[in-house]
């Protein structure tokens, strides 16, 4: 399995999975709107580092499941079901003002990025499901040696999405109101992944 393929797979699903507005990308946007660009990128690095750790935990567990075939069979069913559920939730989710978090002026951006990312433990089951799906489709093959490349792709994907949010600045505020682009496109992708895993 090509290291580039592993990296690209991790990057793509990390980028797509980070699109829906949440406390992390909204906070990065607020730094950008306040013209605190260095703080915004420091925040993005912190979020990417935390995503790296969460993805590493999830992928290591997925490797364990792959090595235990009995558990893996049942987990594929769970993965397909949860991906479809995740997609449906995205399709019917409405943008909420509660998604927007304020940035404390006295807080260090890097520390805030770590804290907000640690407060998002759903990253672990998300990467567990995505990795199980990619492996079941035969698109990636993970081992103890090469899974770090995949996890690096995950981390870089998160950083690039946040960097995109920062660079777009004001334009992203218009994009985040587009429920089709923000919620329905990722939702349809997840539903398609879930259905394909059953097929």
């Amino acid at each position: 399995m090509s290291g580039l393929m592993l990296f690209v797979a991790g990057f793509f699903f990390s980028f797509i999975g980070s699109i829906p507005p949440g406390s992390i990308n909204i906070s990065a946007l607020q730094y950008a709107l306040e013209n605190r660009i260095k703080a915004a990128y420091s925040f993005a690095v912190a979020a990417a580092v935390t995503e790296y750790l969460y993805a590493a935990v999830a992928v290591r567990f997925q490797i364990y499941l792959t090595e235990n075939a009995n558990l893996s069979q049942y987990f594929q069913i769970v993965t397909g079901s949860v991906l479809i559920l995740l997609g449906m939730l995205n399709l019917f989710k409405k943008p909420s003002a509660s998604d927007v978090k304020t940035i404390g002026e006295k807080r260090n951006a890097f520390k805030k990025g770590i804290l907000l990312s640690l407060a998002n433990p759903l990253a672990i089951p998300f990467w567990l499901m995505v990795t199980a799906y990619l492996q079941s489709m035969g698109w990636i093959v993970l081992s103890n040696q090469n899974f770090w490349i995949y996890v690096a792709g995950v981390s870089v994907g998160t950083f690039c999405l946040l960097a995109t949010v920062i660079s777009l600045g004001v334009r992203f505020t218009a994009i985040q109101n587009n429920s089709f682009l923000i919620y329905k496109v990722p939702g349809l992708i997840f539903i398609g992944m879930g259905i394909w895993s059953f097929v």
Side-chain angles (χ1 to χ4, degrees):
M1 172 61 59
S2 163
L4 180 61
M5 264 300 273
L6 288 171
F7 185 88
V8 169
F11 178 94
F12 176 78
F13 285 100
S14 179
F15 195 94
I16 293 295
S18 301
I19 288 175
S23 59
I24 295 172
N25 50 17
I26 295 298
S27 295
L29 174 64
Q30 287 183 328
Y31 276 121
L33 293 177
E34 293 169 359
N35 205 28
R36 299 167 63 196
I37 304 304
K38 288 183 180 179
Y41 280 106
S42 177
F43 178 89
V45 168
V49 167
T50 308
E51 189 80 2
Y52 184 89
L53 297 175
Y54 274 156
V57 170
V59 173
R60 181 63 73 178
F61 183 62
Q62 180 55 37
I63 291 173
Y64 169 78
L65 287 175
T66 303
E67 292 169 351
N68 294 269
N70 293 335
L71 288 174
S72 184
Q73 288 175 357
Y74 296 110
F75 194 74
Q76 275 187 292
I77 296 170
V78 173
T79 298
S81 303
V82 174
L83 282 170
I84 291 172
L85 178 63
L86 185 62
M88 296 296 287
L89 290 174
N90 267 283
L91 285 179
F92 296 110
K93 185 171 181 179
K94 304 287 185 192
S96 169
S98 63
D99 287 335
V100 179
K101 307 290 182 183
T102 59
I103 300 289
E105 288 292 326
K106 296 180 181 178
R107 293 188 181 179
N108 178 281
F110 188 85
K111 288 179 183 178
K112 183 158 184 86
I114 293 286
L115 291 173
L116 277 181
S117 298
L118 287 175
N120 180 31
L122 291 177
I124 292 178
F126 173 79
W127 284 113
L128 202 53
M129 289 179 294
V130 169
T131 304
Y133 173 80
L134 294 174
Q135 283 191 304
S136 68
M137 295 297 104
W139 293 346
I140 63 170
V141 177
L142 295 174
S143 68
N144 291 326
Q145 289 76 30
N146 66 11
F147 94 98
W148 293 110
I149 298 171
Y150 173 72
V151 173
V154 169
S155 183
V156 173
T158 298
F159 177 80
C160 286
L161 185 277
L162 293 176
T164 302
V165 169
I166 293 165
S167 64
L168 289 176
V170 176
R171 283 178 238 168
F172 188 79
T173 57
I175 294 171
Q176 74 176 353
N177 292 326
N178 185 335
S179 61
F180 178 78
L181 181 63
I182 296 295
Y183 295 109
K184 290 186 171 43
V185 170
L188 290 171
I189 290 172
F190 291 137
I191 289 172
M193 289 168 60
I195 292 171
W196 186 254
S197 68
F198 285 117
V199 172

